[in-house]
């Protein structure tokens, strides 16, 4: 598959749709315009790539809806070189958006099949996250903490404590919290012990799964 002028045109339209739903950050909208989302989908779904919808990516997982990716990214308020932890690598599309905004990205995936596939895809495409890790996102990534931002791309039944603990003072955790439906929740770390919490609307994600072992 290639990236063509036609794809670019479709992406410009997609960015307009995302903007019409309330995303205003030009850098985020620009990432939507630039990243070839059709290459992150299994062939056969290509025609759907530039609709504002989630799609299956195998292993019962989905690539998040572009609006959701843009909304979560906007909430991180990224600056170049921010150190960002992503929980739920999935297709790698959200990772690519973070990289487009010049973040240093550490990303964790618990499905081995997807982990392998997406890691290979990153190297083929020349996307360079700092680390792509097969592991359990509930634990965060202690050895690389603290982070300027943490983004969770699966629905969490509760807020994992290690994620709050691994934020810098001034850092942001963006996490959809809930079981069947999730409330997008933003935690701002004000000091060692204080967090400000904001709830920002309802979304639907595949579940963040706990490791049984
Ligand atoms: N950011 C992805 C969204 C993928 S859906 C994208 O843009 O495509 C959520 C992903 O979270 C799935 O790939 C799922 O396997 C993964 N996931 C679920 N529980 C997890 C956990 N405990 N740790 C890390 N990843 C997890």
């Amino acid at each position: 598959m290639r990236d063509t002028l036609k794809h670019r045109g479709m992406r410009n339209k997609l960015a307009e749709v995302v903007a019409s739903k309330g995303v205003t950050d030009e850098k985020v909208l620009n990432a939507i315009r630039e990243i070839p989302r059709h290459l992150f989908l299994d062939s056969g779904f290509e025609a759907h790539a530039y609709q504002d919808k989630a799609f299956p990516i195998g292993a019962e997982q989905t690539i998040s809806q572009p609006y959701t990716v843009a909304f979560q990214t906007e909430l991180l308020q990224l600056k170049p070189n921010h150190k960002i932890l992503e929980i739920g690598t999935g297709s790698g599309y959200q990772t690519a958006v973070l990289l487009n905004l010049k973040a240093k990205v550490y990303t964790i995936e618990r499905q081995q099949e997807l982990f392998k596939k997406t890691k290979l895809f990153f190297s083929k495409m020349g996307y360079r996250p700092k680390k792509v890790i097969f592991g359990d996102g509930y634990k965060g990534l202690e050895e690389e903490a603290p982070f300027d931002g943490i983004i969770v791309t699966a629905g969490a039944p509760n807020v994992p404590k290690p994620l709050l603990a691994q934020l810098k003072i001034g850092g942001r955790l963006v996490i959809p919290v809930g079981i069947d439906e999730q409330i997008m929740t933003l935690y701002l770390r004000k000091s060692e012990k204080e967090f400000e919490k904001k709830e920002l609307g309802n979304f639907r994600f595949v579940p963040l799964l706990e490791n049984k072992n």
Side-chain angles (χ1 to χ4, degrees):
M1 270 196 285
R2 297 176 306 126
D3 193 24
T4 65
L5 262 179
K6 189 183 94 192
H7 291 120
R8 279 167 200 275
M10 289 194 284
R11 286 205 289 282
N12 288 337
K13 293 231 169 68
L14 176 62
E16 278 173 29
V17 171
V18 169
S20 76
K21 295 183 179 176
V23 172
T24 57
D25 187 330
E26 260 311 310
K27 292 202 184 86
V28 174
L29 294 171
N30 206 45
I32 304 275
R33 289 183 198 108
E34 286 180 4
I35 298 167
R37 188 171 186 258
H38 62 288
L39 302 181
F40 292 74
L41 297 179
D42 287 333
S43 51
F45 288 115
E46 197 197 353
H48 303 277
Y50 297 115
Q51 295 174 17
D52 189 25
K53 289 190 177 150
F55 274 100
I57 53 172
E60 291 173 27
Q61 302 306 324
T62 56
I63 178 171
S64 301
Q65 184 182 343
Y67 165 68
T68 306
V69 171
F71 185 70
Q72 287 194 276
T73 307
E74 187 170 58
L75 288 174
L76 283 174
Q77 295 193 355
L78 285 181
K79 300 225 167 61
N81 289 321
H82 264 180
K83 193 170 181 181
I84 303 296
L85 176 64
E86 177 191 26
I87 311 297
T89 314
S91 69
Y93 180 70
Q94 171 74 69
T95 318
V97 170
L98 298 170
L99 291 170
N100 185 277
L101 292 164
K102 302 190 166 53
K104 292 182 189 153
V105 187
Y106 297 77
T107 182
I108 307 180
E109 173 56 55
R110 83 182 282 283
Q111 290 262 7
Q112 188 150 32
E113 197 185 315
L114 267 178
F115 161 76
K116 284 191 189 150
K117 182 173 160 188
T118 302
K119 199 175 167 169
L120 189 67
F121 174 74
F122 284 148
S123 56
K124 276 193 197 149
M125 294 286 293
Y127 289 120
R128 304 220 188 294
K130 291 281 170 200
K131 282 189 186 164
V132 184
I133 294 150
F134 172 61
D136 180 10
Y138 269 90
K139 301 190 180 83
L141 193 62
E142 181 67 50
E143 68 267 30
E144 295 289 349
F147 295 96
D148 296 290
I150 301 179
I151 176 170
V152 180
T153 71
N158 52 57
V159 181
K161 293 239 160 59
L163 301 187
L164 289 170
Q166 291 173 23
L167 277 184
K168 282 186 191 167
I169 311 284
R172 296 168 157 248
L173 167 64
V174 178
I175 180 168
V177 185
I179 295 175
D180 293 327
E181 197 177 53
Q182 294 82 31
I183 300 177
M184 192 62 74
T185 312
L186 170 66
Y187 287 88
L188 282 158
R189 188 167 203 172
K190 295 290 192 184
S191 67
E192 195 56 41
K193 295 226 165 102
E194 279 169 292
F195 293 86
E196 186 183 319
K197 178 182 168 187
K198 291 187 186 166
E199 296 189 329
L200 299 152
N202 293 323
F203 289 81
R204 247 176 224 282
F205 284 83
V206 295
L208 186 70
L209 299 168
E210 219 149 344
N211 254 356
K212 297 279 180 271
N213 43 13

